[in-house]
Amino acid sequence: MIALALALLAVQGPSPDSLSARAESLLARGNVQGAYKLAKKIVEQRPNDAQAHFLLGRVHFDRPIVGRWAALGEFKKAARLAPHDPAPVYWQMMVGFYLRSDDGDRIARDALLQLFAVTPDYLDAWARFRAVYQSPAIWRRAERALARHGDDPTALEHRAEMWIALGDGRRADSLLARVVAQRPAAVVKTFLLRAEASFLAGNSNAGLAWHDSALAHASDDASEALWDEAWTIATAQESNRYAATPANERQAFFERFWGERDPNLLTRENERLGEHYARRAKARHMYRLLQPQRSEYHSKAAQALADYELRRAQSLLATANRAGGSSEPALVTTRVAALRWGSSALQDSARQSAIRAGLTAQGLVFMRYGRPDRQASCITDLLHPYEIPFCSSHMDQETWLYRTPDGPLSISFWKNEYVLPLSNGQLQSSIVALQTDRTTLPAPLAAQAWSALFRSAELGLTDLYYRTSGDSAAAVVWDTAGQIQPIRASGSELLLLSVPPGLYHLGVDVDSAGKLGRSRRDVRVPFFSAVDLGLSSLVLAPSTALLNREPALRGMPVDLVYPAGTPLASYVEIYGLTPDRFGRSHYTVRYSFEPVRSLVGRLFSSARKVVFEFDRETESSMAFERLVIDPDRLPAGRYRVTVSVTDRTRNVKSESVALEIEIR
């Protein structure tokens, strides 16, 4: 009987399951040809077996050159035979991504839409969906496919994303409310979607609240959803800082990230968030990549060809524009070559960022800077206009111009997708625009302000005072190293910030009769040593009596304009004096009032520098230097005022920062 069984087995051959296992093993070892023979044999034996066709499709997929279209056919057969199995549909998508062409993009997109009807969350399918061409019609198809899954929270969330893409925030938020009700644990991505949906629906208060909820759970953001919404406007330093930030510190990182971009420090809400979401919605519709699977984005050979075409276009355009006005051919050639070299790295970076964001280069700039102040087609540079003769529309070339406090930014785009600087000025503008961002919230008020620095009573801190014109003001400093939390002060008069010495990013906003004024700049807060000679800021206030620090600061006018005929009281603190053997410090203080005159004034004015000098002594290493100057000693006019101190024990000199005042 045993011999008979062995004889029958020899006639029948191995079982189909053992053949499948052998084919899988050969495929895993890279023996595609051997796997192909076995898989084909299995399909011949089981023509209606979905798994057999799926296996043959995977083998075809790994065959060199010719296998992808045959693989697609087998995957489609497997999907028809097993309509509820997501794997064959997923692999149809894989074929599409391999082909990368417009056909490949269509194959991948159609497969993904079919897959969403089978399951809403298969492997990385949803992430892959972001890398195919999308339009309102496709968003609606995806939403209908996902709607088959009823109250499945993943399907509901993805449907909400489709309604957000379609601009229907109310519908999206109603779906997300069902998701939150089903999930006991907080999910950052869901909170951010509710924030975006609320802003789209015009409910900014709810949007801010949901965004705050997302920040509160930043340490649990395993999907990095917070960074996914922020990186398109981040600086290189912020990107590096985020990469080095541990999970338990990410809440502080993002609070600072958005806080530094708050365009109105006087309000509780951060208007920049609503602006960011509005730009996302606009960019999604106007500047998304129309052919995200185009080979030139991915193939090295195609990228090299595209780079060559871009360099050629740049040379033609820059030469036509005479590379900055030069008529010397050799100089033009040199400038164009330097421009190509300098813009190569920029173009590579912009291209990769655009692919990651699913946007054109214009979309990247739009996310950071918003709508341009001016734009024109077929003009090389709006600052130095030159019409391009072989350009027909903005689809060929377009220039954007932004007006910023630091000067204009002129940016040239080529073929509606690439940054293509045509001068060194545009190269620098492009670098700035792709590394910084701005708000478009108006701040037309030109407020007056001054600042003053003193050693704090708290060890290791410096007192930073601000006084501004207007009805109310707010000041915030952010540590540029990201080591300490932002420090804030607000009020209607004198503002005080006590901070450790270091480099900070400063924001000061002023409100006057409903009109906003805004200032953003970097400041270095000094360290006032107890042993090295140093001076605080100089304070001048109208007064007939000697004043201490706070009264002097409160009395100093914001515009530094003083009425003639009024005594001036000065106040300055001296640190690091050297006591003698009897414990007394000796110093010389010199006040200098130097007239500030125009050229004509210097020729015809008889005004002279006014100097006051005194020898002083004190019983400590710190002195509070105060003086009242009679009005007859300072005629009306503009003065640059400085105070210098010489420690006579060590013969060391220090000078305070100058003030420019006017007496009239």
Side-chain angles (χ1 to χ4, degrees):
M1 293 295 294
I2 294 175
L4 179 60
L6 290 173
L8 289 173
L9 184 60
V11 172
Q12 294 173 352
S15 69
D17 288 339
S18 64
L19 286 176
S20 297
R22 285 177 56 195
E24 292 278 8
S25 178
L26 290 170
L27 187 61
R29 296 202 303 267
N31 187 348
V32 179
Q33 191 60 32
Y36 170 68
K37 292 178 180 179
L38 288 177
K40 190 174 181 181
K41 185 175 182 179
I42 295 170
V43 167
E44 290 172 353
Q45 292 179 357
R46 296 183 289 176
N48 295 321
D49 187 337
Q51 288 303 314
H53 287 285
F54 179 56
L55 174 60
L56 181 56
R58 286 170 50 223
V59 173
H60 273 305
F61 188 84
D62 279 0
R63 293 178 68 199
I65 304 175
V66 297
R68 256 56 62 182
W69 290 104
L72 181 64
E74 294 300 325
F75 292 143
K76 286 183 174 181
K77 292 176 184 176
R80 286 195 297 270
L81 292 168
H84 301 296
D85 185 356
V89 187
Y90 180 87
W91 278 82
Q92 292 177 48
M93 174 209 72
M94 295 285 286
V95 171
F97 276 107
Y98 182 90
L99 295 173
R100 292 204 184 279
S101 61
D102 287 349
D103 284 339
D105 188 85
R106 176 184 52 77
I107 291 167
R109 184 176 62 250
D110 290 347
L112 284 166
L113 292 171
Q114 184 182 344
L115 182 60
F116 295 152
V118 177
T119 176
D121 192 28
Y122 187 73
L123 300 178
D124 61 345
W126 189 251
R128 295 271 195 167
F129 184 57
R130 298 178 63 179
V132 298
Y133 169 76
Q134 298 187 12
S135 67
I138 292 165
W139 293 327
R140 290 189 179 92
R141 287 177 61 191
E143 197 279 333
R144 288 194 296 269
L146 291 161
R148 297 187 178 191
H149 304 288
D151 274 348
D152 180 275
T154 300
L156 290 171
E157 188 168 281
H158 291 339
R159 288 175 63 194
E161 291 186 61
M162 295 299 92
W163 285 117
I164 287 172
L166 289 163
D168 193 335
R170 295 184 185 279
R171 202 157 186 176
D173 193 58
S174 67
L175 294 172
L176 292 165
R178 291 158 62 184
V179 175
V180 172
Q182 290 187 58
R183 287 177 174 165
V187 178
V188 171
K189 177 65 180 295
T190 307
F191 291 159
L192 289 178
L193 288 173
R194 293 206 74 173
E196 187 166 11
S198 298
F199 278 115
L200 276 174
N203 190 349
S204 60
N205 289 333
L208 291 165
W210 283 113
H211 198 270
D212 284 345
S213 298
L215 294 184
H217 294 87
S219 59
D220 302 321
D221 184 20
S223 67
E224 298 190 295
L226 283 163
W227 183 243
D228 189 53
E229 79 160 3
W231 74 267
T232 51
I233 62 170
T235 65
Q237 293 81 4
E238 286 171 327
S239 297
N240 294 335
R241 193 182 304 147
Y242 174 76
T245 300
N248 62 344
E249 296 178 13
R250 285 183 178 171
Q251 180 178 350
F253 172 88
F254 284 109
E255 286 175 346
R256 177 206 172 104
F257 181 94
W258 291 108
E260 282 192 279
R261 290 166 169 81
D262 189 345
N264 189 348
L265 302 172
L266 292 156
T267 59
R268 293 184 61 185
E269 66 270 16
N270 186 341
E271 295 83 357
R272 185 68 176 86
L273 277 166
E275 188 177 38
H276 181 70
Y277 283 124
R279 289 180 186 176
R280 276 172 62 130
K282 189 87 169 179
R284 187 184 293 123
H285 285 265
M286 291 190 63
Y287 302 115
R288 66 181 180 275
L289 283 178
L290 298 181
Q291 296 173 301
Q293 290 306 309
R294 202 162 66 191
S295 61
E296 77 178 70
Y297 298 140
H298 306 278
S299 161
K300 290 184 178 180
Q303 284 184 24
L305 180 60
D307 289 340
Y308 169 76
E309 292 296 332
L310 286 169
R311 289 195 299 271
R312 182 171 177 273
Q314 191 173 49
S315 295
L316 290 170
L317 295 173
T319 303
N321 199 26
R322 293 196 177 276
S326 173
S327 59
E328 294 292 333
L331 184 57
V332 169
T333 302
T334 301
R335 286 181 176 174
V336 170
L339 178 63
R340 286 205 310 261
W341 180 84
S343 63
S344 178
L346 169 72
Q347 183 59 57
D348 289 344
S349 174
R351 180 189 290 135
Q352 294 305 314
S353 295
I355 296 168
R356 179 181 171 189
L359 299 173
T360 64
Q362 289 168 304
L364 287 178
V365 175
F366 180 85
M367 285 298 301
R368 290 178 175 273
Y369 272 73
R371 183 177 178 179
D373 298 310
R374 288 182 62 196
Q375 60 190 106
S377 303
C378 302
I379 298 293
T380 56
D381 186 344
L382 283 166
L383 295 175
H384 308 285
Y386 178 86
E387 188 172 350
I388 302 171
F390 49 86
C391 173
S392 59
S393 73
H394 72 279
M395 297 297 291
D396 290 329
Q397 191 273 342
E398 187 173 37
T399 299
W400 288 6
L401 181 69
Y402 292 99
R403 298 184 181 91
T404 76
D406 298 321
L409 296 179
S410 174
I411 307 162
S412 175
F413 301 98
W414 182 250
K415 296 298 183 184
N416 206 31
E417 291 186 3
Y418 307 100
V419 178
L420 190 68
L422 304 175
S423 67
N424 287 324
Q426 284 192 334
L427 175 60
Q428 294 306 313
S429 290
S430 302
I431 292 171
V432 170
L434 290 170
Q435 281 294 324
T436 59
D437 68 296
R438 70 162 187 175
T439 179
T440 54
L441 184 73
L445 178 66
Q448 295 174 313
W450 52 252
S451 63
L453 294 157
F454 293 84
R455 191 168 74 186
S456 176
E458 187 173 345
L459 186 65
L461 299 183
T462 297
D463 287 342
L464 181 59
Y465 291 91
Y466 280 91
R467 178 93 182 272
T468 68
S469 59
D471 303 323
S472 59
V476 182
V477 290
W478 294 274
D479 171 28
T480 57
Q483 300 299 312
I484 64 173
Q485 292 294 316
I487 299 171
R488 178 188 179 94
S490 60
S492 57
E493 293 187 0
L494 191 64
L495 306 180
L496 169 61
L497 303 163
S498 295
V499 301
L503 182 63
Y504 292 88
H505 184 64
L506 166 70
V508 178
D509 287 354
V510 183
D511 179 88
S512 180
K515 189 177 288 186
L516 179 66
R518 181 188 308 124
S519 173
R520 299 291 184 273
R521 61 189 177 91
D522 289 338
V523 296
R524 184 171 293 280
V525 177
F527 171 69
F528 291 112
S529 169
V531 295
D532 296 323
L533 184 65
L535 302 183
S536 71
S537 297
L538 170 64
V539 185
L540 289 172
S543 176
T544 59
L546 297 175
L547 299 175
N548 292 324
R549 184 201 289 185
E550 290 281 337
L553 286 164
R554 294 185 184 282
M556 187 158 71
V558 176
D559 57 3
L560 299 181
V561 176
Y562 300 80
T566 302
L568 291 182
S570 72
Y571 178 88
V572 65
E573 294 179 4
I574 307 169
Y575 313 114
L577 291 168
T578 306
D580 61 17
R581 60 196 180 104
F582 300 107
R584 302 188 67 81
S585 299
H586 305 269
Y587 64 92
T588 298
V589 60
R590 187 175 190 268
Y591 297 84
S592 173
F593 290 76
E594 184 170 1
V596 177
R597 300 184 296 270
S598 64
L599 177 60
V600 175
R602 286 197 295 271
L603 292 174
F604 297 102
S605 174
S606 60
R608 295 290 183 267
K609 181 190 296 188
V610 179
V611 175
F612 306 99
E613 188 169 320
F614 308 94
D615 289 334
R616 311 279 203 192
E617 64 178 49
T618 182
E619 294 183 350
S620 73
S621 62
M622 178 178 176
F624 303 98
E625 175 61 35
R626 298 179 294 174
L627 177 70
V628 174
I629 303 168
D630 293 332
D632 59 350
R633 305 296 298 275
L634 289 173
R638 293 187 62 83
Y639 295 91
R640 177 182 173 86
V641 189
T642 57
V643 175
S644 62
V645 171
T646 301
D647 183 346
R648 298 207 306 273
T649 304
R650 289 185 294 168
N651 195 28
V652 176
K653 184 177 178 180
S654 181
E655 188 170 89
S656 75
V657 176
L659 281 179
E660 284 202 7
I661 69 169
E662 183 175 0
I663 299 174
R664 64 185 182 189

